Amino acid sequence: GAGVSQTPSNKVTEKGKYVELRCDPISGHTALYWYRQSLGQGPEFLIYFQGTGAADDSGLPNDRFFAVRPEGSVSTLKIQRTERGDSAVYLCASSLGARNTEAFFGQGTRLTVV
Amino acid sequence: AQRVTQPEKLLSVFKGAPVELKCNYSYSGSPELFWYVQYSRQRLQLLLRHISRESIKGFTADLNKGETSFHLKKPFAQEEDSAMYYCALQAGTALIFGKGTTLSVSS
């Protein structure tokens, strides 16, 4: 594909609901990252996948957040029992490797919890 | 603690003026630093990284370990440079971003 693709671009959900955010990385990129960007802040690391496994999930804020990448390509970020504080832009990025390689970002999914 | 600080939220300059976007970092190891840029309605993209020692779109950045800084500079700003700029530090597998500086270049 042309780049990292994220769907949906916008998501409005009610407090307490479950949401899934999808990321299609650049073909051939083994490394995939999720970041969260709140208003007025820089992107904040959530989780990193190398292939199918979550190599570093230290940035996930709590156990309501979970991400998978079952076939080493598409990834889904799942948020249970959403709270208003989860409202943010969720960014996905992919790269050829974990270090010293350029990370390419998607356009992001703007999540609004009402 | 690992941290990136961009002290300026907004920097406004006139076209042709020099630009310096400040970035300071805190990191115990050997730092790998980057500048990312986000133009209006576009995705975040890499501008430059310190290990490449390159100049992109006229921008340069020098790593100063003594001052723990990685300031982004351009001698003559152009209107198309108006964007949001983020300094980032590679800490393990994650990038740690600063809060960003909006650069506004007017004619």
Side-chain angles (χ1 to χ4, degrees):
Chain A
V4 177
S5 175
Q6 291 187 247
T7 54
S9 53
N10 279 286
K11 176 73 177 177
V12 180
T13 190
E14 292 180 347
K15 179 174 176 295
K17 298 287 188 185
Y18 167 83
V19 296
E20 290 189 352
L21 311 179
R22 177 187 168 105
C23 173
D24 274 277
I26 293 172
S27 178
H29 281 191
T30 58
L32 184 146
Y33 309 80
W34 283 99
Y35 288 83
R36 177 170 70 173
Q37 187 169 21
S38 302
L39 197 60
Q41 304 294 316
E44 176 191 19
F45 170 75
L46 294 176
I47 187 169
Y48 156 65
F49 287 90
Q50 179 58 42
T52 60
D56 183 353
D57 65 357
S58 62
L60 294 177
N62 52 60
D63 61 6
R64 294 188 298 106
F65 288 74
F66 189 71
V68 295
R69 195 186 184 197
E71 297 177 358
S73 178
V74 171
S75 176
T76 305
L77 178 66
K78 308 181 181 196
I79 310 174
Q80 297 177 319
R81 304 183 304 281
T82 51
E83 300 177 357
R84 293 200 177 89
D86 299 335
S87 296
V89 175
Y90 289 81
L91 296 169
C92 177
S94 71
S95 66
L96 283 171
R99 299 183 68 87
N100 293 326
T101 57
E102 181 175 352
F104 293 85
F105 282 81
Q107 286 277 36
T109 293
R110 182 176 298 279
L111 175 67
T112 303
V113 181
V114 297
Chain B
Q2 301 157 349
R3 186 168 54 243
V4 174
T5 303
Q6 293 181 251
E8 303 139 330
K9 205 168 180 178
L10 172 66
L11 183 63
S12 296
V13 301
F14 287 108
K15 178 180 168 184
V19 168
E20 182 177 67
L21 298 169
K22 291 185 168 48
C23 172
N24 288 89
Y25 67 90
S26 173
Y27 187 60
S28 56
S30 185
E32 295 176 39
L33 288 150
F34 307 80
W35 277 98
Y36 278 80
V37 61
Q38 188 166 26
Y39 300 102
S40 179
R41 298 185 178 278
Q42 294 188 28
R43 59 191 65 194
L44 195 60
Q45 59 186 283
L46 178 66
L47 180 62
L48 56 80
R49 66 190 96 180
H50 91 271
I51 58 171
S52 301
R53 304 184 71 81
E54 57 201 344
S55 173
I56 303 293
K57 299 184 179 183
F59 285 97
T60 59
D62 290 318
L63 177 60
N64 185 324
K65 291 186 179 180
E67 295 182 358
T68 59
S69 68
F70 188 56
H71 302 328
L72 183 68
K73 300 177 184 180
K74 183 169 183 176
F76 307 105
Q78 302 299 314
E79 288 180 78
E80 55 266 30
D81 296 329
S82 296
M84 187 72 160
Y85 291 80
Y86 294 96
C87 182
L89 165 72
Q90 179 110 44
T93 52
L95 285 171
I96 297 174
F97 287 86
K99 290 187 179 183
T101 298
T102 300
L103 175 64
S104 176
V105 182
S106 55
S107 57

